Amino acid sequence: MILMTSTAYAHEQTFLPDAKLTDAQASTWNIGAGFTKKMIHINPEWVNPYGIGYVKGGVFLDDDKTLGAQVGFRYPAHLTGKDKNGYYVGVYAGHIQSKRVDGEYEARLGGGVDLAYVMLSSERISTFSIGIGAGEELTNRNGDVVAETEPQLQFSYTLSIGL
C-alpha cells in the first residue's frame, strides 16, 4: 500500500506592515503647529494602527511669505517604552523651500525620507525629525539654473494636541 499525503500551507499575503499602534491611547485626530526648515505651519495629524499621517500648511519665512505645504507618513520603527514614544521612519512630499527666481519667491517642490523621534500620548504628539530629500530644478527666464536637484537636509519640529 502506498500512502500519499499532501500538505498545503496557506499564508495570507499582505503588503501592509505590522500594525504597531493598535493599542495606542493617542487621539485619532490631532492639530498643532511647528516649523519645517524655514516654513512655519499648522498641521493636522492622523494616528492610525500603522503610523502617523500628516499635512503641513504654512508660509516660508522669506520676504514674500510664500505659501507652502507638505504631506507625509511616519511608521513606528522602534518603540522605546512608555506610551508609543520611539523612532519613526517616514516619507514626505511637497514644498521643501522657497527660492528667489526672477525677482519673486517660488515654492520649490520635492520629497524625501526622514527619521523622527515621536513622543506620543493621549494628549499630544511631539515630533523632532531630520530628513534628506531633493527638490525640483528651478531656472530663471534666461534658462540659468537657480536651484539644482541635489540632496538637502530638512529639520522639523511639531507639537500637536488631541481633538
Side-chain angles (χ1 to χ4, degrees):
M1 171 192 245
I2 299 176
L3 180 64
M4 295 181 68
T5 62
S6 67
T7 304
Y9 176 72
H11 180 68
E12 183 179 322
Q13 288 288 2
T14 180
F15 296 104
L16 294 175
D18 292 336
K20 293 186 177 183
L21 300 180
T22 54
D23 59 348
Q25 299 300 316
S27 294
T28 302
W29 293 100
N30 299 267
I31 186 99
F35 65 88
T36 299
K37 205 163 181 183
K38 292 184 179 180
M39 179 175 66
I40 57 172
H41 56 77
I42 59 170
N43 56 285
E45 296 185 76
W46 171 48
V47 178
N48 63 75
Y50 299 100
I52 302 169
Y54 61 87
V55 175
K56 300 174 182 178
V59 295
F60 287 97
L61 298 176
D62 56 27
D63 290 339
D64 291 344
K65 304 294 185 258
T66 308
L67 294 177
Q70 283 187 2
V71 297
F73 185 82
R74 293 188 176 109
Y75 175 75
H78 178 70
L79 300 177
T80 58
K82 187 176 181 198
D83 296 324
K84 294 298 179 179
N85 297 345
Y87 296 95
Y88 289 57
V89 292
V91 295
Y92 61 89
H95 299 109
I96 59 169
Q97 75 181 144
S98 69
K99 288 293 256 181
R100 191 176 200 96
V101 179
D102 295 325
E104 293 184 19
Y105 283 92
E106 287 186 24
R108 185 176 178 202
L109 290 172
V113 296
D114 70 1
L115 175 64
Y117 188 80
V118 177
M119 292 175 281
L120 178 66
S121 74
S122 59
E123 297 88 29
R124 53 103 186 107
I125 300 174
S126 184
T127 305
F128 298 91
S129 75
I130 181 168
I132 188 160
E136 66 181 332
E137 182 177 274
L138 293 179
T139 57
N140 63 16
R141 68 179 133 230
N142 298 329
D144 301 325
V145 175
V146 176
E148 293 185 12
T149 300
E150 59 189 10
Q152 58 181 287
L153 293 176
Q154 174 176 286
F155 295 95
S156 176
Y157 173 74
T158 59
L159 177 62
S160 301
I161 57 172
L163 298 178

